Amino acid sequence: MEYELPSKQTAVVLTGTNGQYEIRHDVDVPNDPGFQEVIVKVMAIAICGTDPKLLKGKPYHYCPDSYPFIIGHEWSGVVVKVGPGVFNLKVGDRVAGEAHRGCGVCENCKAGRYSLCLNYGKDETGHRHYGFTTEGAYQQYIRYSCGSLTVLPDNVSFAEAAMCDTAGVAFHGLERGGVKPGGTYCVIGPGPIGFMAMKIARALGAAHVICIGRGARLKAAVELGACDPDMAIDFETQDPVAEVLRITGGVGADNVCEASGAHDALNKAVAMCRKGGSIVLLGTPPESHREEILLKPITFKELSVVGSRGNPNATQAVVNLMGSGQLRVKEMITHTYPLTSFAEGIDTFVNRKEGCVKVVFFPNEIPEEYLPSGKVQR
């Protein structure tokens, strides 16, 4: 099967460190996949919470070293050209992208922890962090490592598949922190990652899911079935620790996911977690964030506190959960736009307009079920 690639494409191009970007229509289309690389037509890409930070520029620690640069890493598409050494993909395959590709040689990569690659940022070693150190997917076509792509089942749409990165990050966090089958799982911070953590915790066997948040996001957690209706805690009007203890009969939650990055959230997580329980840190606090932690309860309650980064070895699992119907993500896609409406989409996401949870752009064809812009057509 042959696919005729155009010579130029539309892309969102960062041009500087102070929020400067342009929608360009004359960006060269990659046409030369290297060893174990493919060219993919990008069909859908979602906004990640890191994208607005990258748009703002330094001193955010993930900023690219030079400009112009294309960001974006939550995406899906269709393979249109295959390079030498590719044996797992063919032209026409529908795929979901993953941001990380480790060097494959360092100790961490060999252990499967390639999101912690010891050669991070070194292009010459083969390391890639797409959308951060290597150009990303806010464009119509992208050159990508075949090892960072997962084939999609027919019943998972491109828009849904663009959520695989968000789901994978949550899934990896749940793997790190654990989920007790039949137990109570608590999420602090109902953002996109928190939503996914709640949904996946349920899929992995949690009997009850508590959510701590506020406003429209907390309301959406109930309406979208992410948490138990009577276990949504508004931290502006309720004491979250006291409420979790009340709900659990004074025992505490079996597992706590801190997905907010907010001040004092870890101390609250320690206080509301049961003896022998676990806490996973998924929220990204500000660079300068410092917090005094009460260590004695961690020791005396024998709590496990773990960090989590990226989504290594998680994409296939979340694709399987989506394909089987156990993980429903479509309702989280509240707004869609063509890529040329990038500014409007970013504004909607950052300012959480009209109950926004997740924004998806379509760089090429727009599926019939979605409006050209604005809220999703139900």
Side-chain angles (χ1 to χ4, degrees):
M1 182 187 299
E2 293 290 334
Y3 184 92
E4 186 174 347
L5 286 164
S7 61
K8 300 294 181 180
Q9 64 171 328
T10 298
V12 179
V13 182
L14 272 65
T15 58
T17 61
N18 297 313
Q20 301 157 300
Y21 69 88
E22 298 174 353
I23 305 294
R24 294 183 178 174
H25 303 284
D26 60 350
V27 175
D28 290 337
V29 172
N31 193 33
D32 54 344
F35 180 71
Q36 293 194 339
E37 288 185 332
V38 296
I39 306 299
V40 185
K41 183 179 182 180
V42 181
M43 301 304 293
I45 176 166
I47 299 176
C48 173
T50 58
D51 292 343
K53 297 174 184 177
L54 287 164
L55 290 172
K56 288 182 179 179
K58 295 186 185 309
Y60 188 59
H61 64 285
Y62 278 135
C63 278
D65 291 330
S66 62
Y67 297 87
F69 190 81
I70 298 172
I71 62 172
H73 60 277
E74 298 189 0
W75 69 280
S76 63
V78 58
V79 176
V80 294
K81 191 169 185 178
V82 175
V86 175
F87 56 85
N88 63 324
L89 297 170
K90 64 182 183 301
V91 172
D93 279 346
R94 302 168 67 254
V95 294
E98 181 178 334
H100 286 275
R101 175 183 183 262
C103 72
V105 177
C106 74
E107 183 178 353
N108 282 356
C109 283
K110 288 181 177 179
R113 306 184 74 180
Y114 53 88
S115 60
L116 302 177
C117 178
L118 298 178
N119 287 305
Y120 182 90
K122 297 179 180 178
D123 185 78
E124 66 274 13
T125 70
H127 176 272
R128 304 285 186 272
H129 192 187
Y130 292 100
F132 297 91
T133 64
T134 303
E135 286 199 334
Y138 282 120
Q139 54 185 324
Q140 291 180 294
Y141 295 89
I142 188 170
R143 181 191 296 110
Y144 227 75
S145 166
C146 68
S148 298
L149 296 168
T150 301
V151 177
L152 300 170
D154 292 339
N155 66 334
V156 175
S157 71
F158 288 119
E160 291 169 314
M163 307 287 281
C164 282
D165 188 276
T166 304
V169 169
F171 186 91
H172 180 57
L174 270 68
E175 282 189 311
R176 295 273 295 147
V179 178
K180 181 179 179 181
T184 300
Y185 198 86
C186 179
V187 172
I188 303 173
I193 297 292
F195 269 101
M196 285 295 190
M198 288 183 273
K199 285 174 169 287
I200 294 172
R202 188 86 75 185
L204 297 182
H208 301 289
V209 177
I210 300 171
C211 179
I212 299 170
R214 64 177 175 178
R217 288 280 177 89
L218 183 62
K219 181 180 178 182
V222 176
E223 292 177 344
L224 301 182
C227 74
D228 291 42
D230 57 346
M231 296 185 184
I233 301 171
D234 187 336
F235 67 81
E236 291 186 326
T237 60
Q238 298 170 288
D239 180 337
V241 173
E243 282 300 300
V244 170
L245 293 177
R246 180 189 65 78
I247 290 169
T248 59
V251 175
D254 296 288
N255 315 100
V256 180
C257 171
E258 202 302 281
S260 71
H263 177 71
D264 207 37
L266 178 53
N267 274 317
K268 289 183 172 62
V270 169
M272 65 180 61
C273 192
R274 71 176 296 158
K275 293 178 180 178
S278 67
I279 299 167
V280 62
L281 305 180
L282 273 178
T284 303
E287 295 290 317
S288 60
H289 181 82
R290 298 288 186 274
E291 188 167 328
E292 291 187 1
I293 305 299
L294 294 172
L295 297 178
K296 187 174 180 179
I298 297 176
T299 302
F300 274 46
K301 292 168 74 173
E302 287 194 358
L303 300 180
S304 298
V305 181
V306 299
S308 183
R309 180 186 184 186
N311 54 332
N313 309 301
T315 306
Q316 187 65 65
V318 298
V319 165
N320 291 345
L321 288 171
M322 289 181 187
S324 68
Q326 295 176 78
L327 177 60
R328 291 179 51 85
V329 300
K330 185 176 181 180
E331 58 264 30
M332 290 179 60
I333 304 169
T334 53
H335 294 73
T336 62
Y337 299 89
L339 188 59
T340 49
S341 297
F342 184 75
E344 186 179 354
I346 287 289
D347 179 55
T348 298
F349 179 81
V350 170
N351 295 301
R352 301 183 184 181
K353 293 184 174 179
E354 299 177 313
C356 176
V357 177
K358 204 69 173 172
V359 172
V360 171
F361 295 103
F362 299 114
N364 288 285
E365 297 88 357
I366 300 175
E368 290 184 5
E369 65 182 300
Y370 295 100
L371 294 170
S373 64
K375 296 194 73 173
V376 174
Q377 183 177 11
R378 296 298 181 188

